Amino acid sequence: MNSEFLTSATKEGEYPEADRPEIVVVGRSNVGKSSFINAFTNRKKLAYVGNTPGKTQLINFFMIDGAWYLVDVPGYGYAKLSKAQIAKLGRMMDEYFLKRKNLTCVVQLIDARHDPSKDDMEMVDFFKEMHIPIVAVATKIDKIPKTKRINHLKKISQKLQIPLAHIFAVSSTEKIGFEQVEEELQKRIEQAKKMDKQ
């Protein structure tokens, strides 16, 4: 997979041209979003990995194989941001999700160790209302004993009302699960291309 950073944006006029399918990665500030992107693209430093959750406050666009965009948006649920910062990020995210016409699906990251949070469930409900397809990815699966993993995934499926078949478990540490996520995303991209041709 060839991947390159394209640009960072805070508003619609700064987005790349909407000429390719686009997949956006969302999740809580401490869910391991940057680690997911780096492991998924097999690049150590494509996305910034910081010790302080919530550092990403821009929408970051990456080109994948010259064929589609991968987008990293700011994490949510981080308490140390001021109310003004949170409001600003909220407006930026709303504009992106409401106006981006080539958005193919979202990768919703959930920490496999815990039940989905209220914020997680609100985000998923928002995407369902917007009719944006969701691929749920349970991160940090290596932190759970193998015998208990399926139960954690079933809980996530029940809480989010997303079929178990659409929930993928990954570990950036063990480098597992990413091939399955890539296969699923490629399916979504192909479906989007067919819809565009109709």
Side-chain angles (χ1 to χ4, degrees), residues 163-191:
L164 191 58
H166 292 172
I167 297 174
F168 299 84
V170 301
S171 163
S172 303
T173 309
E174 293 181 357
K175 301 283 191 291
I176 57 170
F178 292 95
E179 284 181 17
Q180 289 86 348
V181 174
E182 185 180 356
E183 281 174 21
E184 182 66 17
L185 296 186
Q186 288 295 347
K187 274 190 221 165
R188 304 295 180 115
I189 288 165
E190 291 307 315
Q191 286 168 1

Side-chain angles (χ1 to χ4, degrees), residues 37-97:
I37 290 170
N38 290 337
F40 177 75
T41 57
N42 207 20
R43 292 273 302 275
K44 283 185 179 172
K45 294 182 180 176
L46 187 67
Y48 174 80
V49 180
N51 293 326
T52 310
K55 289 289 274 189
T56 305
Q57 294 189 25
L58 300 167
I59 299 172
N60 296 308
F61 293 82
F62 306 93
M63 175 75 82
I64 307 295
D65 291 334
W68 56 281
Y69 299 125
L70 182 68
V71 183
D72 180 19
V73 296
Y76 53 82
Y78 191 60
K80 287 190 181 175
L81 294 178
S82 70
K83 283 185 180 176
Q85 285 174 307
I86 291 168
K88 185 179 172 186
L89 286 179
R91 287 192 298 273
M92 184 172 78
M93 297 272 275
D94 282 347
E95 181 180 41
Y96 172 76
F97 286 114

Side-chain angles (χ1 to χ4, degrees), residues 149-163:
R149 290 178 184 180
I150 190 65
N151 286 338
H152 280 255
L153 297 179
K154 281 179 179 173
K155 269 190 187 177
I156 291 169
S157 169
Q158 288 162 1
K159 286 264 186 181
L160 298 181
Q161 294 293 293
I162 291 175

Side-chain angles (χ1 to χ4, degrees), residues 14-32:
E14 298 169 350
Y15 305 160
E17 194 177 341
D19 57 354
R20 290 169 170 81
E22 190 158 288
I23 292 172
V24 59
V25 182
V26 301
R28 282 177 63 83
S29 296
N30 57 352
V31 76

Side-chain angles (χ1 to χ4, degrees), residues 112-123:
R113 298 171 297 178
H114 310 296
D115 284 353
S117 69
K118 181 171 174 280
D119 289 329
D120 292 329
M121 293 196 287
E122 284 176 358
M123 285 300 285

Side-chain angles (χ1 to χ4, degrees), residues 138-156:
T139 62
K140 308 182 185 182
I141 199 71
D142 55 288
K143 309 284 189 194
I144 298 170
K146 287 183 179 175
T147 53
K148 295 182 179 177
R149 290 178 184 180
I150 190 65
N151 286 338
H152 280 255
L153 297 179
K154 281 179 179 173
K155 269 190 187 177
I156 291 169

